[in-house]
Amino acid sequence: MKASHKKLAAELACDYHVASNNSPWLLKLPVIKQVNFSEHVQELMEEGPRQIDSDTDTQAFQCTGKASDMTLIDALARRKSSREFSKSALDLQKFGQLLGLSNGLRNKVGNANDSGRNAPSAGSLCSCEMYVLALNVADLEKGIYHYDVGAHGLKQLKLGDFKEWSKRMLLLQSELCDSAAFIFLASNQGRLRSKYGPRAYRLGLLDAGHVSENIYLVSAALNLAVTATGGFIDDELNNALGLDGVDDCVVLVLAVGEPAGA
Ligand SMILES: Cc1cc2nc3c(=O)[nH]c(=O)nc-3n(C[C@H](O)[C@H](O)[C@H](O)COP(=O)(O)O)c2cc1C
């Protein structure tokens, strides 16, 4: 990228926040109060969890009972970023609990009866999708998957050993590639934008932030090591996941695994 383009990109990045401000005149528009009840928004909310078109079946996790006895207060006290991972494989059901409790349906994981999600989201549009790169998960072939919320399972997208690729092409910190798996948080910006316009960008980041904190807290409760990183090559990752980088784009990567010494 030319220096002048870099400067322009940096300025645009700074301007985005101001451009997504709500103006006071919005308060005067009666139509704003109706937005939540518009046909289009109702349709968006009724779409349900995203299904990825693929010939492969979804590998469903078992819907097991209680994942941990740890209290929320203890999980908060233990939450930390750990960058040293064990060489042991991550247990598949534990991985399922981590994904489901962080951003799944409460009636699939946990003991709630309603069909709400385990993370709040702007307009209940559930803009944060989870993709997974399995590097060392027991009973799961190495490769890239989408977390299918409705089925509480993993939909296979591409099989293969992507460890060297993630070290050389994807992450700025190669030590994180010794984790058992990456969770990629992708923002469905197109869905948010169709309701919120330019404000979608900040709402998408906030939605992903809530899921990220859930991943940290559930990891603490399951005694897993985890670290979030924003240090990844966007185009490389979006291309690998089949995302266009505009309407759907990865905004955060989390490395997870059994902690070193486990
Ligand atoms: C949005 C976000 C991006 C982060 N990016 C990185 C990163 O690129 N590399 C890294 O080692 N840690 C990263 N972290 C982890 C922070 O460094 C860590 O949360 C912080 O140092 C506080 O430590 P603690 O999580 O153990 O309390 C990130 C955390 C967040 C929330």
Side-chain angles (χ1 to χ4, degrees):
M1 200 191 263
K2 281 187 195 161
S4 57
H5 287 171
K6 267 192 190 158
K7 186 167 175 285
L8 181 64
E11 282 168 5
L12 285 174
C14 291
D15 284 349
Y16 108 81
H17 187 77
V18 175
S20 66
N21 280 354
N22 277 337
S23 304
W25 57 260
L26 279 174
L27 292 167
K28 298 200 169 60
L29 275 187
V31 73
I32 284 300
K33 298 204 169 62
Q34 290 158 20
V35 161
N36 275 323
F37 306 103
S38 74
E39 212 172 299
H40 171 62
V41 169
Q42 292 299 324
E43 276 168 18
L44 279 179
M45 291 172 73
E46 281 160 21
E47 269 174 12
R50 179 180 260 194
Q51 300 273 339
I52 304 278
D53 280 339
S54 147
D55 297 336
T56 57
D57 291 333
T58 292
Q59 188 172 339
F61 296 110
Q62 287 162 18
C63 295
T64 47
K66 206 171 178 187
S68 166
D69 284 326
M70 194 180 291
T71 65
L72 175 61
I73 304 293
D74 288 341
L76 282 163
R78 292 173 63 125
R79 187 215 60 78
K80 62 175 182 175
S81 301
S82 308
R83 297 168 187 82
E84 289 180 18
F85 300 93
S86 161
K87 289 192 168 47
S88 315
L90 174 58
D91 178 79
L92 182 61
Q93 294 311 321
K94 216 173 177 184
F95 192 34
Q97 286 172 329
L98 174 62
L99 296 168
L101 287 167
S102 299
N103 194 28
L105 289 171
R106 281 202 289 249
N107 57 12
K108 295 269 177 192
V109 190
N111 43 16
N113 292 323
D114 64 82
S115 59
R117 296 282 282 263
N118 280 334
S121 65
S124 196
L125 294 187
C126 307
S127 71
C128 182
E129 294 288 327
M130 296 198 294
Y131 292 79
V132 157
L133 173 55
L135 296 164
N136 185 18
V137 181
D139 303 319
L140 184 65
E141 280 192 80
K142 291 178 183 178
I144 298 176
Y145 299 81
H146 174 248
Y147 176 65
D148 181 337
V149 170
H152 179 45
L154 290 174
K155 182 93 163 178
Q156 181 189 303
L157 302 182
K158 274 181 204 168
L159 291 183
D161 189 342
F162 291 90
K163 185 165 175 166
E164 282 311 306
W165 167 77
S166 60
K167 270 190 181 164
R168 283 189 299 108
M169 308 291 287
L170 184 63
L171 288 195
L172 304 184
Q173 279 165 281
S174 62
E175 72 271 22
L176 298 181
C177 304
D178 293 327
S179 61
F182 291 121
I183 301 172
F184 304 125
L185 300 188
S187 177
N188 189 338
Q189 282 287 306
R191 194 169 152 81
L192 277 175
R193 207 181 301 116
S194 75
K195 178 176 176 186
Y196 293 109
R199 208 162 173 82
Y201 192 61
R202 52 167 104 183
L203 298 176
L205 297 178
L206 292 165
D207 284 355
H210 283 89
V211 175
S212 170
E213 177 66 352
N214 279 357
I215 292 173
Y216 263 88
L217 291 174
V218 177
S219 294
L222 297 177
N223 291 314
L224 293 173
V226 62
T227 282
T229 175
F232 58 90
I233 309 301
D234 299 66
D235 284 353
E236 188 71 22
L237 183 51
N238 289 325
N239 287 340
L241 300 182
L243 305 179
D244 65 10
V246 178
D247 281 344
D248 291 283
C249 52
V250 175
V251 292
L252 194 65
V253 173
L254 293 108
V256 293
E258 293 292 343

